[in-house]
Amino acid sequence: MSDILLDVRGLEAGYGASRVLFGIDLQVAAGSVTALLGANGAGKTTTLRALCGLIRRQGHVTLAGQRIDGMATEEIVRLGVAHVPDGRGTFTGLTTEENLRMGACTRRDRAGVREDFERFYEYFPRLKERRQQQAGLLSGGEQQMLAIARALMLRPRLLLMDEPSFGLAPKVVQDIFRIMRRVREEQKVAILLVEQNASLALELADTAYLLETGRIALAGPAASVRSNEAVRAAYLGGA
Ligand code: ATP
C-alpha cells in the first residue's frame, strides 16, 4: 500500500451558521489520483476550500504527517499544496507568462523554474503560442490549462483540482485529461480531483469517494466505485 500523503479525519466546515460538511474522512496516497464525486451542492468545492484553509474548518488533517488544519492558506501552500479553483482563478490582467511566474513566486531554484517553464510549455503548446497574451483573452480551455500549469509551477506535492472540465467542449476536456494523465505519470504529484464528469474522473483516478450532502456515502478503488449500481444509475447515466 502506498504512503498516505493527505489524511483527513472528521472534517467539518460551512458558511456562517450553515453547515456543509459533517465529518469527512478521506485519504490521498502520494502520487495517486483521488476523485471526489457527488451531485451539485454536495460539498465538493467546500471540501477543497476547507483543506487549503480558505474557510473555517474543524477536524484533523495531516499532510505527510504534519497537522495542517489550523494553518493559514499561505503556510499550506508553502508545504506544497496547490489549488486550481473552480472558475480557474487566473490573473486575467496578466499575460500567460506572468501568470506562470506568479505560480513560481515561492520558489528560489531559478534553474528549476526555467526548466519548468519549458516543460509546461511542452505539455501545453497552446500556452507557449500565447505566452505574451493577456490571460483574460484566452479561451476557456486555455485558461484551464493555464490554471493547471500555474499550479504545477509551485512544484506541489498535492494538487487540489476543482472541476477542470467545467464549461469546456468535449475535445478540450479530452485534451486536459490526457495532459493530467501525463502530469500524474511524470510529476510526483498527487491529485484530489473534484469532477462532475464522473466517468472521466473514474478513468483517471485510483481511488474515489462519493459525497452526499456533506457526508462520504461510498469510498473505494475507482474500479469498484465505477461498477457500483447506485453510482452507475446516478452518475454514469446507467452506462
Ligand atoms: P457544485 O458542483 O454545485 O459546485 P459542490 O458539491 O461543489 O457542488 P459546494 O459548492 O461545496 O458544492 O456547496 C455546498 C453547499 O454550500 C451548497 O448548499 C451551497 O449553496 C453552499 N455554499 C457554497 N458556497 C457558499 C458560500 N460562499 N456561502 C454560503 N453558502 C455556500
Side-chain angles (χ1 to χ4, degrees):
M1 187 50 200
S2 10
D3 291 345
I4 298 300
L5 175 65
L6 180 74
D7 191 7
V8 180
R9 308 272 167 181
L11 182 66
E12 298 182 10
Y15 302 93
S18 85
R19 277 177 78 192
V20 175
L21 304 180
F22 298 89
I24 287 185
D25 291 351
L26 69 81
Q27 282 84 42
V28 177
S32 74
V33 178
T34 300
L36 183 59
L37 311 174
N40 283 338
K44 305 180 298 296
T45 295
T46 302
T47 303
L48 298 190
R49 287 187 190 143
L51 289 175
C52 59
L54 290 171
I55 56 172
R56 291 247 303 276
R57 72 285 195 206
Q58 287 184 321
H60 189 280
V61 182
T62 57
L63 182 81
Q66 184 169 4
R67 275 296 282 265
I68 61 167
D69 47 84
M71 287 185 180
T73 303
E74 309 82 78
E75 289 176 272
I76 296 173
V77 170
R78 225 171 288 125
L79 290 176
V81 178
H83 183 210
V84 183
D86 53 346
R88 287 141 205 166
T90 52
F91 299 103
T92 52
L94 302 183
T95 65
T96 296
E97 191 137 320
E98 287 164 345
N99 266 276
L100 294 178
R101 222 170 274 292
M102 293 290 283
C105 67
T106 58
R107 290 175 58 181
R108 294 288 164 265
D109 57 323
R110 287 185 176 197
V113 169
R114 260 196 309 277
E115 275 172 32
D116 280 354
F117 261 104
E118 289 317 310
R119 179 172 300 122
F120 299 135
Y121 278 147
E122 197 230 318
Y123 279 24
F124 302 101
R126 304 278 296 174
L127 296 184
K128 186 168 189 176
E129 288 165 26
R130 286 161 172 59
R131 61 207 292 174
Q132 301 305 343
Q133 193 161 325
Q134 226 175 292
L137 300 175
L138 301 176
S139 72
E142 289 161 355
Q143 288 196 29
Q144 183 63 64
M145 292 174 193
L146 178 56
I148 296 170
R150 192 186 62 187
L152 289 172
M153 287 299 286
L154 181 75
R155 285 260 177 117
R157 286 197 276 183
L158 176 65
L159 199 55
L160 305 175
M161 297 195 70
D162 203 344
E163 301 256 10
S165 77
F166 185 77
L168 302 180
K171 163 82 176 64
V172 179
V173 172
Q174 291 293 346
D175 284 350
I176 286 176
F177 271 75
R178 190 172 37 73
I179 294 161
M180 281 168 59
R181 200 160 282 125
R182 193 168 164 202
V183 165
R184 147 297 145 84
E185 280 160 18
E186 296 179 7
Q187 308 297 311
K188 289 187 177 64
V189 58
I191 303 175
L192 178 57
L193 172 66
V194 160
E195 194 36 80
Q196 283 281 323
N197 188 331
S199 169
L200 264 180
L202 288 171
E203 263 175 46
L204 181 69
D206 304 287
T207 307
Y209 290 82
L210 178 64
L211 194 58
E212 279 179 2
T213 51
R215 293 180 174 84
I216 299 293
L218 183 69
S224 75
V225 170
R226 191 167 37 203
S227 57
N228 178 282
E229 282 306 324
V231 170
R232 290 164 76 96
Y235 300 99
L236 299 172

